Amino acid sequence: MALVTLTIDNKQVAVEEGTTILEAAKTIGINIPSLCAWPEIKYFPGACRVCVTEVIGQRGLIASCVFPVSEGMVVKTNTERVRTARKMTVELLLANHPAECTYCVRSGNCELQKVAEMVGLKQIRFNIPDFQEEGRFDHSSPSIVRDVSKCINCGRCVAVCDSVQTVSVLTPSQRGTEVRVAPAFDMPINESNCIACGQCILACPVGALYEKDQVDDVWKALNDPTKHVIVQEAPSIRAALGEEFGIPAGTLITGKMISALRQLGFDKVFDTNFSADLTIIEEGNELLQRAKEGGKLPMITSCCPSWVKFCEHFYPDLLDHLSTCKSPQQMFGAMAKTYYAEIEGIDPKDIVSVSIMPCTAKKLESARPEMNSSGYRDVDIVLTTRELARMIKEAGIDFVNLPDGEYDAPMGEYSGAGTIFGATGGVMEAALRTVYAVVTGENLPNLNITPVRGLEGVKDATVAVGELGDIKVGVAHGLANARKLMDEIRKGKSDYTFIEIMSCTGGCVGGGGGPIPTNNEVRKLRAGALYKDDSQVQTTRQSHENPSIKKIYDNFLKEPLGHKSHELLHTHYTQRGEDLPHKE
Amino acid sequence: MREPITDKTIPTMQEVPFFALQDLRVLKNRGLIDPEKIDEYIARDGYAGMAKALTEMTPDQIIQEVLDSGLRGRGGGGFPTGLKWKFAAGEKGPVKYVLTNADEGDPGAFMDRSVLEGDPHAVIEGMVVAAKAIGAHNGYIYCRAEYPLAIKRLSVAINQAKEYGLLGKDILGTGFDFELEIYQGAGAFVCGEETALMTSIEGKRGMPRPRPPFPSVSGLWQKPSILNNVETFANIPQIMLRGGAWYASVGTEKSKGTKIFALTGDVHNVGLVEVPMGTPLGAIVYDIGGGIPKGKRFKAAQLGGPSGGMIPIEHLNAPIDYESVEELGAIIGSGGLIVMDEDSCAVDMARFFMEFCVEESCGKCTPCREGNKRMLDILTNITEGKGKPGDIELLEEMASVIRDASLCGLGQTAPNPVLSTIRYFRKEYEDHIYNHHCSAGVCADLFKSPCQNACPIGMDVPAYIALIMDNRLEDAYKVMLKTNPFPSICGRVCDHQCQSKCRRGKTDEPIAIKFLKRFITDNAQRPKVEAIPVTRKETIAVIGSGPAGLTVAKDLAIRGYKVTVFEELSEAGGMLRWSIPAYRLPRDIITKEIDDIRALGVEIKCNTRIGKDIPLSKLESEFDYIYLAPGAHTSQKMGLPGEELNGVYGGVEFLRDFNANETAWTTGEKTLGAKVAVIGGGNSAIDAARCATRLGADVTILYRRERDDMPAAIEEIIATEEEGIKIEFLVAPLNIEGKDGKVSGITCKRMKLGDFDRSGRRRPVPIEGSEFTLNVDSIIAAIGQIPDLSFLPENSDISINRWNTFDLAEGSASQTTNPKFYAGGDALTGSDTVINAIAAGHQAAIDIDTAIRIKNNEDPYEAPKEEEIIIPFELDEDNPEAPQTKMPELHGHERKKSFIEVELGFTLEDALKEAKRCLRCDIELD
């Protein structure tokens, strides 16, 4: 790429052609505030106008986030005119934004707050309206809450919903001051095609979108002496929770997390990784069964609840490609209220099963009516990573200095395969390790299947699996990428045997329930921590080698895909379609 | 041809200024062809330009021709069309688009609609040429769905053109293909913005996107595209046919060709007008538009629709082209031109246009979405009387940021009306904010009724009119006296600003408020006046016993002050008595009202000139405050040779002398001679002329402008004409001829009207060689009055300006630069009306009293409780259109020979009939 030389604030700078003014300024240590642009998904609407700069020769001020540099350009980022405009713009935004910062879910982590500081805002000269409760909140979804009043119309949620997830639930409606981001016809979000992935929450610079907070439900259960409260944590929690306490992204904090949970008062601290291993046994055997018995192929993973819902809405005709396996969360729940209750002699009605997920869709999943195979809700309460962090802070726990704790038996033991479920390609890698072993009776020569790792949108690999021959597997994350694979299947052109789909970019490490910010850099670091857990921390790296898993089949389930498994660990799907509104 | 009944010649179309001054190029087929018949279009050179372009010209040559024409985008941006095409032509790639913007959304603009409905092929032809120039084979016309006829005619035209091989595949056998489709817009104003329009065609929400990339590089579906407005394309065929040089032969240096304007608003002739670029605004408004109806004054023209700006009266000469208009803070836009008269409120207009932009903002970018709404809130507050100090400055700051930082043209231009109204009408904003007053009588929250609002002293007009209907004339009198010490004088000589704002005037004619006022004072029992005891220690001197001085005296006497009025002349009344003749204002009327003020305890010392009979220093030592209201008793000099001759009078000097020595004049002891010339067009000139007529002279008024420009009251002008006085318009005196030290004649020059002056009137320009001499015995020069302030010693510390009137202390409405002295009336404002003098008196009384109380650390004055007068509310639903009731008058020579009051006053029947016409705007119904 050709280099372009320009002058910013009297400093010469040479950057690649096509660089924006904002990026060019950053290279010489000038931070220009910005709210709406999101380079990672190529979203440059030029809408918020906070990043304006003066470009000599241009009539008006220029949105630096989107304006490309050109040879000889002269930019001023810090003139009276620029400062006045930025201040006024932020002042206008704040004048139409509830002044509830102190108890806002994004307090201290709000981009608008940060930008107000960056532009040196000192006053709001306009009346801040009374924000009426009516119509302000959309609590209809079990996963996501919308607060229309806090929305600053940056459009990032719209962009991610549209271009990354291709769900297009959130769109701007009305115009002018009436403009609001909402599902079509302003319908409640649970009546829309929303898949509850929560990527919109990660996109939101303010507190206009957030998870449905269930912290109080957990406190209530913990305070109830008649309840036996157990907890499971998804793989990626151990790679992300630390960020909420200032620990650098990519640090494994498994032991501190266990200690914190115990200190919060959970009766047993278990692990979703355990049931991830269980999932691999079931799912691997299902794949083999389909392959051998001429079942529907390619088979597609079903761990990701927003992917499942996406498929129900947009590819209802292809639902039989989905594995019938419940997700690890739900398998855990089902086992807790049967197997665990049985061996511990606890009445399952007294068990409160809590899960900690990097995911908002898991709340929705746990609420699905069919998820009650034990006769009780498989999982009672789902908290996101962020909610757990809030609980820990509320309890006054000094997380950073906590000693490492140990998981409880019998559902706390896991393999490296279980832990990499949290990264895109991880389920595939874990499954292949076990499938290979089951088919060939030997371990894969190299347990690391690197082609399915990383942030490339669609990945594939071909593995020779003994008598099954070459198996072509595909991995997609981000539903725009999933559509590519699904459209091939629909056209009958797919040559994959097995496909892993995760809704969120990067897989669960990029989940909508994770710490904010979540960006590609952070996603890579979190995934790295999981691969480290797999390769360096765990003693076993294959699900079928997990002793607790062996025990559960010996003592309770008897065999993969057996009668009990079928009853407790497998599920079915609903053809939902795209027609609105959806009323359950 | 002649009209059969009136026998007047019927002018040809080219003799009617509305048509004569237009230059029809885009509209050349207007009304002449059937737009649904392609043959008729072809018969008038249709598709000849395209044929030439396709068969004889290369794309480069086409672009060069358009560049040579100087054509600039007619949608509002004014970007050179040829340049836009050149950029797109330079882009590589097989797919490009030519788009027409027919999403005309400015309120009141219908240029594009007219072209599309009346001459659709012109647009299609222009688009094919553009397509050839840039190498496009597909095009869209983005037309708003609210134009069903335009869409129908376009569809017919497209089909016909295809049938004739003028559109579609292999056009004219040249091998060039161009397919054209109509895309219907859903009516969002923002979709007139080019990137929003393209996004809308793409099937997405019509919102603008940042540029670069520019559409010529990456437009519709990321392909190189050009978007031009309907009018722009409609210009192209003739540019092809006749050449760029022909096109550029009219217009200004940087703005070539013609532009269509949608002329509308307060103007006689509304409609589409196509004029050469650079035509002065005044020519469009007055010559083509026929001026402002109902004798109202032009206030401003809004150019460029809701995102344009206003051009006020002082810029009527401005040439309408892109640069000049922008310099004045407006834009040509798509050509909306709304004329506003004096009854339009600048703040309300800004609010109205801002409301439009707020509703039409797409909501994408912050400054437009949030900022414009906030500006609207502030503007709405101001129009509702809730404006705050600092609002104007905040509006200015916001406007400049929104202009500077918005994403697209809508936001960038939305604050224009606010900025331009602040620029030209800041005083109106201040009047709204600080005085809660809307001088135009528009912002209804600021007043009870428009008449009361227009009255400088806020007389409760609907109340006393309602009381007439109820036959409670004494109560009506009392209502009037609450605000006006001189209702019977004002019932005769007030300039009745109230009537000009009367809502009834919008349907037929305003209520005769002045006559009704007089009716009350003529027929009611005068309310008894009792002396008011002096309760305050401070004493006040008033210099001058005119309406300003006596109002101060009355108001302060009521507040318990001892007031003494000093009058140089032999009787009190000031300009009322000494300038206005008795046939308009009988002497006893003045005397009665002044006697009422005396009765309060005010002492009036006549024949006492300050500086001569009493030194000012004596007053200063004896009184705490002194109010200066000496009037304007000196006529302005004409500055002509011969002005010193005998027989040359100043207007006020003549009137004063006549009023002082009426017998001498009527008996012929003093005489003006047989022939008299009066110079001037104001009320004094008329008074002098009518007096001179009554003294038997043959009077001619010489006025340098036209009748409509005369500052005198229209009824006075009519009365003058009725009395047989000649008025020579467009005549200016040059030289006074004399013989033996006495006037013998006056040499004048005829004038014609030139361009507009700052008052919006056309400037008289001498016609060379038109001199003529009028033989006269006397000349009365009534071209203006100035105060005589020579009674003030030089060391008075009272600052006097170059108009020989008082300067005021900063921030005060009546205090002079010497804090002991207050001033008002004509000596403060220059020659002005009675009612304004009364208003000044009220103001000064408040200011003096407040100053005293502040000094004494007292609470502010509280008026004693007044007798409550219940105002009836009976509104006759059946209020048919009816003209104003005529004032009965003296007629014939009876009137010409005497100084008896001309107007006889309403009868009870007249008064009831007239009062019934009142619409009672003061009543608020829930």
Side-chain angles (χ1 to χ4, degrees), chain A residues 45 47-49 59-61 67-68 81 85 88 92-93 95-96 125-127 152-153 172 174-177 179, chain B residues 188 205 210-212 326 359-367 369-371 373-374 394 397-398 401 404-407:
Chain A
C48 75
R49 316 306 286 177
R59 193 177 167 136
L61 293 174
F67 205 88
R81 185 174 157 213
M88 171 75 75
L92 285 166
L93 283 173
N96 194 16
R125 290 167 287 183
F126 310 104
N127 292 334
I152 60 166
N153 291 293
Q174 312 290 340
R175 54 185 188 194
T177 37
V179 78
Chain B
R205 180 182 160 91
R211 294 172 301 183
E326 199 178 315
E359 275 177 23
E360 293 298 340
S361 165
C362 77
K364 182 172 179 180
C365 79
T366 312
R369 180 185 69 240
E370 305 289 343
K373 176 65 170 55
R374 295 297 180 164
L394 183 55
E397 184 188 333
M398 295 180 75
V401 168
D404 221 7
S406 289
L407 170 60

Side-chain angles (χ1 to χ4, degrees), chain B residues 144-217:
Chain B
R144 65 198 317 235
E146 293 97 322
Y147 282 178
L149 184 62
I151 289 165
K152 180 185 164 230
R153 293 203 166 146
L154 269 175
S155 310
V156 170
I158 289 172
N159 289 335
Q160 288 179 347
K162 279 187 174 166
E163 223 173 88
Y164 277 54
L166 299 167
L167 190 64
K169 292 257 174 273
D170 190 19
I171 297 172
L172 290 172
T174 59
F176 181 71
D177 304 335
F178 184 65
E179 298 292 342
L180 187 53
E181 272 180 59
I182 301 170
Y183 191 98
Q184 293 190 36
F189 184 63
V190 72
C191 287
E193 197 278 341
E194 63 177 355
T195 60
L197 185 150
M198 291 173 195
T199 313
S200 174
I201 295 179
E202 288 169 8
K204 298 178 199 149
R205 180 182 160 91
M207 291 201 295
R209 49 194 193 217
R211 294 172 301 183
F214 289 96
S216 55
V217 178

Side-chain angles (χ1 to χ4, degrees), chain B residues 18 79 118 237 306 350 353 370 374 381-382 387 414 447 466 512 518 585 587 606-607 710 798 884 909 918-919:
Chain B
F18 180 77
F79 190 80
F353 287 121
E370 305 289 343
R374 295 297 180 164
N381 279 342
I382 295 175
F447 52 80
R518 171 174 168 187
L585 180 58
R587 306 294 99 168
C606 290
N607 296 313
M710 287 177 82
I798 301 166
Q884 206 178 72
E909 195 190 343
C918 177
L919 300 173

Side-chain angles (χ1 to χ4, degrees), chain B residues 873-885:
Chain B
F873 173 48
E874 281 166 46
L875 188 58
D876 198 344
E877 295 281 331
D878 177 35
N879 205 336
E881 268 191 40
Q884 206 178 72
T885 309

Side-chain angles (χ1 to χ4, degrees), chain B residues 510-619:
Chain B
I511 308 293
I513 298 170
K514 185 176 89 166
F515 297 159
L516 288 173
K517 186 183 294 143
R518 171 174 168 187
F519 172 79
I520 297 166
T521 61
D522 282 355
N523 293 281
Q525 190 77 39
R526 277 182 97 73
K528 254 217 194 84
V529 182
E530 282 169 17
I532 291 173
V534 173
T535 53
R536 302 200 53 93
K537 62 179 192 302
E538 294 84 0
T539 56
I540 288 100
V542 174
I543 298 176
S545 65
L550 291 178
T551 302
V552 167
K554 179 183 175 182
D555 287 1
L556 290 175
I558 288 171
R559 291 172 187 228
Y561 293 99
K562 171 73 188 140
V563 186
T564 310
V565 181
F566 296 88
E567 169 59 50
E568 175 187 0
L569 296 170
S570 59
E571 282 181 87
M575 301 295 291
L576 294 172
R577 186 182 295 271
W578 299 105
S579 178
I580 300 175
Y583 65 86
R584 277 220 284 153
L585 180 58
R587 306 294 99 168
D588 62 319
I589 298 292
I590 306 174
T591 305
K592 277 184 199 161
E593 296 207 313
I594 294 177
D595 284 350
D596 279 355
I597 292 172
R598 280 204 176 93
L600 289 169
V602 172
E603 190 186 350
I604 304 178
K605 291 187 173 175
C606 290
N607 296 313
T608 312
R609 181 177 168 97
I610 307 304
K612 189 177 125 211
D613 301 312
I614 305 181
L616 188 69
S617 54
K618 187 157 186 279
L619 250 56

